[in-house]
Amino acid sequence: MAHAALLHCSQSSRSLAACRRGSHYPAPSHVPRHSRRRRRAVVSLRPMASSTAQAPATAPPGLKEGIAGLYDESSGLWENIWGDHMHHGFYDSSEAASMADHRRAQIRMIEEALAFAGVPASDDPENTPKTIVDVGCGIGGSSRYLAKKYGAQCTGITLSPVQAERGNALAGAQGLSDQVTLQVADALEQPFPDGQFDLVWSMESGEHMPDKRKFVSELARVAAPGGTIIIVTWCHRNLDPSETSLKPDELSLLKRICDAYYLPDWCSPSDYVNIAKSLSLEDIKTADWSENVAPFWPAVIKSALTWKGFTSLLTTGWKTIRGAMVMPLMIQGYKKGLIKFTIITCRKPGAA
């Protein structure tokens, strides 16, 4: 099945406003309403021919433990060098590459994602989100930022006990203990009732999910009627209509990245769009922000080559060192057009 085209937003040829708009997909009227009993699809490096006709995907043995161990081991190093936001930054091509610029770019990534999704500004208190879940929260950088921005209650979930403990300590130190709580939980089996959150936020955690359909289904389940869902994640490129799989060299490159970062099979932006459509989600939009994050990985590598970065890396552990060794492969994947830094936003239908 041919994949829907993803808007490629180039700073050199289109305005930033156009990049924010991305591609918009109307919700199909013939698809049944969201149900937790819907069968889940296997997500692989091939396009999903039918998101409702395939067997549920299962996590590879040890995946959850590997993810938790990686972040238990590496989060302190990241915070020491980069601060509490564990995600890409959003850049203009003219921006300088100082560490301060990178940290500002990480904040800008949050703001750009909110703007792209059409989340009301903080000066519109009647319509701003009051309850937020941060799925794959790291040490809670986004959780605390969003809680302060909107005066909201924010709950973060992570597989890493070290991240949850550190994030709660930071919330306490910033006087946010009454607003921000981090806990250890599985994004595919979230410990929340249906319809609890006005804003469902996932900043670079979807790539760790072995069952992308179950992942999006859980995001939709915990979203309140009319609530906004924001997914910012790593994808592989959309397949051409004549293709049934990525090329062998592309699959090989992704496998090397997966092995280092405890990632299951990747999917394309169009796969996410198809899943959202099948769940009757509305106002589906997506955009490719790969060019806007291009300075990020070179900056991470540069920081690792400083004396502080190098000596800190040596004190972490093999998981972190192995991750550092494959960072150039991320740059290679972006340059080849294989890896796409993608935002997908949508809205859960309002109450009938």
Side-chain angles (χ1 to χ4, degrees):
M1 180 179 68
H3 281 33
L6 177 71
L7 177 66
H8 180 75
C9 298
S10 170
Q11 288 290 337
S12 62
S13 61
R14 300 186 184 182
S15 67
L16 183 58
C19 187
R20 284 176 177 155
R21 285 196 297 271
S23 296
H24 186 274
Y25 301 84
S29 59
H30 63 280
V31 180
R33 290 288 184 185
H34 167 68
S35 168
R36 294 190 68 187
R37 293 187 176 92
R38 186 184 299 278
R39 295 182 66 190
R40 301 188 295 272
V42 173
V43 180
S44 70
L45 295 179
R46 297 180 297 276
M48 294 183 294
S50 173
S51 61
T52 59
Q54 301 185 32
T58 56
L63 177 65
K64 288 170 58 175
E65 295 78 9
I67 294 169
L70 173 64
Y71 289 114
D72 281 349
E73 186 180 286
S74 63
S75 294
L77 168 63
W78 183 272
E79 182 187 1
N80 186 36
I81 296 176
W82 278 79
D84 60 348
H85 292 283
M86 304 181 70
H87 57 79
H88 285 67
F90 188 102
Y91 303 83
D92 282 331
S93 58
S94 60
E95 286 183 315
S98 70
M99 184 59 70
D101 289 326
H102 293 305
R103 289 178 176 170
R104 282 196 296 269
Q106 289 175 307
I107 297 297
R108 187 177 178 191
M109 175 62 72
I110 297 174
E111 291 293 343
E112 292 290 339
L114 293 169
F116 183 85
V119 178
S122 55
D123 59 1
D124 183 11
E126 289 190 8
N127 295 309
T128 55
K130 307 299 188 298
T131 53
I132 301 170
V133 63
D134 184 358
V135 179
C137 61
I139 59 173
S142 291
S143 300
R144 290 184 296 278
Y145 184 86
L146 294 170
K148 286 188 285 189
K149 178 180 177 69
Y150 294 118
Q153 296 293 318
C154 189
T155 302
I157 60 172
T158 172
L159 290 175
S160 166
V162 170
Q163 288 187 334
E165 181 179 3
R166 177 57 179 159
N168 285 326
L170 289 170
Q174 296 174 22
L176 293 170
S177 293
D178 292 339
Q179 288 179 255
V180 177
T181 303
L182 273 57
Q183 64 188 80
V184 176
D186 187 345
L188 301 185
E189 298 289 344
Q190 296 182 37
F192 310 119
D194 296 358
Q196 182 166 339
F197 300 103
D198 301 326
L199 175 60
V200 178
W201 176 270
S202 172
M203 177 62 71
E204 296 189 52
S205 63
E207 53 271 16
H208 283 299
M209 307 301 167
D211 188 336
K212 301 298 192 288
R213 178 175 175 79
K214 174 62 174 173
F215 170 53
V216 180
S217 179
E218 274 293 274
L219 300 184
R221 181 185 68 79
V222 301
T228 299
I229 299 168
I230 299 177
I231 304 169
V232 181
T233 189
W234 310 354
C235 293
H236 68 65
R237 64 174 178 83
N238 287 325
L239 300 184
D240 293 333
S242 61
E243 292 180 304
T244 59
S245 176
L246 295 172
K247 297 178 175 64
D249 64 310
E250 294 175 322
L251 292 170
S252 176
L253 177 59
L254 289 185
K255 183 180 185 305
R256 293 168 66 189
I257 295 171
C258 289
D259 289 345
Y261 293 136
Y262 293 91
L263 305 178
D265 287 346
W266 295 44
C267 72
S268 71
S270 289
D271 289 332
Y272 271 111
V273 169
N274 291 336
I275 292 170
K277 286 181 177 179
S278 76
L279 296 172
S280 295
L281 298 173
E282 299 175 346
D283 298 333
I284 303 166
K285 296 191 298 181
T286 183
D288 177 3
W289 284 355
S290 301
E291 290 192 9
N292 298 103
V293 302
F296 179 76
W297 282 98
V300 174
I301 293 174
K302 184 177 180 180
S303 71
L305 296 177
T306 64
W307 179 251
K308 178 181 179 181
F310 181 72
T311 55
S312 298
L313 181 63
L314 293 179
T315 64
T316 55
W318 171 241
K319 290 183 176 70
T320 306
I321 293 171
R322 184 174 65 168
M325 291 171 63
V326 302
M327 288 191 293
L329 299 183
M330 290 295 297
I331 298 175
Q332 183 180 343
Y334 277 122
K335 288 184 175 179
K336 288 168 64 73
L338 170 61
I339 298 175
K340 298 295 184 180
F341 190 88
T342 304
I343 180 169
I344 307 102
T345 66
C346 51
R347 184 172 55 83
K348 186 173 180 176

